[in-house]
Amino acid sequence: MPNPWTGTGNPYTREEVVARLRATLDRGESILAAGAGIGISAKFLEQGGADLIIIYNSGRFRMAGHGSTAGLMAYSDANAVAMEIGEYEVLPIVKETPVICGVHASDPRRRMWHWLGKVKEMGFSGVNNFPTHAIVDGNFRQVLEETGMSFSHEVEMVALASQMDLFSIVYVATAEESEAMAKAGADAIIAHVGTTIGGSIGVTDASCTIEDAAKRTQEVCDAAKSVRDDIFLLSHGGPICGPDDAAYINQHTDAVGFVGASSLERIAFEQSLLKLTREFKQIPVRSR
């Protein structure tokens, strides 16, 4: 059904978002979900044909010139930042593309059912689990798990979102996390294979090969499909940073699309602004 107040656009029901993504696949197109940290990004991501626009706090850091991993640190209130970007920059400018809100589900100060109610009331059509503890590993991950800030809170958030008719598109890093999210009712699962390489602040040594990314993505896909066969399976991160990379993953795994944040928003700004600035600087002046 259309938005009851405007007749079109957000918020969409969960069923409507799913139907839109199914239509994309029926047209033989790959699904593209895109992260936006500012309004102008969202405006042109929509015009470019993105199927979903995701708002999370790392977008603000990314578009301020910092690494997206800053969104995992205690530099701001992740939930408040995502809500603010959505309310004042993205939701007012996006016309029809479903807009998804990043939710830090393990924030101990939030009653998650209450926060998701606010997310829905704001006009978002779904949720994403970012910041996510799925991409934290080692001893620190174990500390988080043992001290009440575990990945399980993200799974619980997705289960709540499903009950509240919010579409959910979630990051996972392992087969176990993928299976848990599928059981919780996630509509789309993203195989997160690490921080994006490339550009001025992308990772270099802290990345895997494209072959390893495909292997890890397929493990996530297999785990999700072992629970349900109606989940959209997507890839993200690491060496999957351009259209050719995303095409490789689609061809070598069961993934049917890509989630781009730094690979779309940050690198596009870096490359285009650098090129355009240099072109302006090369303009000659008349001899005096």
Side-chain angles (χ1 to χ4, degrees):
M1 65 181 186
N3 181 306
W5 300 280
T6 67
T8 186
N10 289 279
Y12 293 100
T13 66
R14 182 185 183 192
E15 182 179 346
E16 287 168 339
V17 179
V18 168
R20 289 171 67 96
L21 297 183
R22 293 269 176 233
T24 292
L25 295 179
D26 289 344
R27 294 193 298 269
E29 300 174 5
S30 180
I31 292 171
L32 177 62
I38 55 176
I40 193 169
S41 298
K43 181 177 183 178
F44 289 100
L45 287 167
E46 177 174 50
Q47 290 186 22
D51 296 288
L52 302 172
I53 294 175
I54 308 177
I55 310 306
Y56 29 59
N57 71 322
S58 65
R60 173 160 291 174
F61 291 106
R62 181 168 58 242
M63 299 315 292
H66 311 297
S68 298
T69 308
L72 294 172
M73 306 302 290
Y75 301 144
S76 65
D77 180 338
N79 284 311
V81 169
M83 184 72 80
E84 183 180 277
I85 295 172
E87 179 176 9
Y88 297 115
E89 296 195 49
V90 174
L91 286 167
I93 205 164
V94 170
K95 303 301 181 185
E96 293 191 13
T97 307
V99 179
I100 309 301
C101 184
V103 175
H104 193 187
S106 62
D107 184 341
R109 305 164 304 160
R110 308 279 183 185
R111 295 166 294 161
M112 199 44 55
W113 63 268
H114 184 254
W115 183 250
L116 291 183
K118 291 186 175 183
V119 167
K120 188 169 185 176
E121 182 182 16
M122 182 56 64
F124 287 100
S125 296
V127 296
N128 167 253
N129 62 327
F130 195 90
T132 176
H133 293 179
I135 55 176
V136 179
D137 58 15
N139 186 64
F140 184 51
R141 171 66 180 271
Q142 188 63 30
V143 169
L144 290 172
E145 294 290 329
E146 292 182 10
T147 57
M149 291 165 280
S150 69
F151 181 78
S152 64
H153 289 300
E154 299 175 35
V155 176
E156 292 164 4
M157 181 272 289
V158 168
L160 273 174
S162 298
Q163 293 179 47
M164 297 172 72
D165 196 34
L166 284 162
F167 177 85
S168 57
I169 174 170
V170 299
Y171 287 119
V172 303
T174 67
E176 292 76 16
E177 292 165 353
S178 180
E179 182 178 348
M181 282 297 193
K183 289 178 178 177
D187 298 295
I189 288 180
I190 312 160
H192 196 307
V193 298
T195 300
T196 303
I197 68 171
S200 65
I201 49 178
V203 300
T204 52
D205 295 337
S207 183
C208 62
T209 66
I210 191 71
E211 293 81 10
D212 189 43
K215 179 177 180 293
R216 290 164 60 182
T217 297
Q218 188 58 43
E219 289 171 354
V220 164
C221 293
D222 288 340
K225 291 194 303 178
S226 72
V227 179
R228 301 195 341 259
D229 60 5
D230 62 343
I231 303 174
F232 299 100
L233 302 168
L234 311 170
S235 65
H236 171 82
I240 317 169
C241 56
D244 290 343
D245 307 315
Y248 178 93
I249 298 298
N250 276 10
Q251 291 162 7
H252 291 82
T253 74
D254 291 328
V256 295
F258 174 67
V259 178
S262 294
S263 53
L264 277 166
E265 187 176 43
R266 173 175 62 81
I267 292 177
F269 272 89
E270 289 178 356
Q271 293 175 348
S272 60
L273 284 175
L274 184 63
K275 180 176 181 293
L276 188 59
T277 301
R278 287 175 173 170
E279 288 176 356
F280 271 111
K281 283 297 294 177
Q282 291 169 1
I283 296 173
V285 295
R286 290 195 307 174
S287 58
R288 296 177 182 272

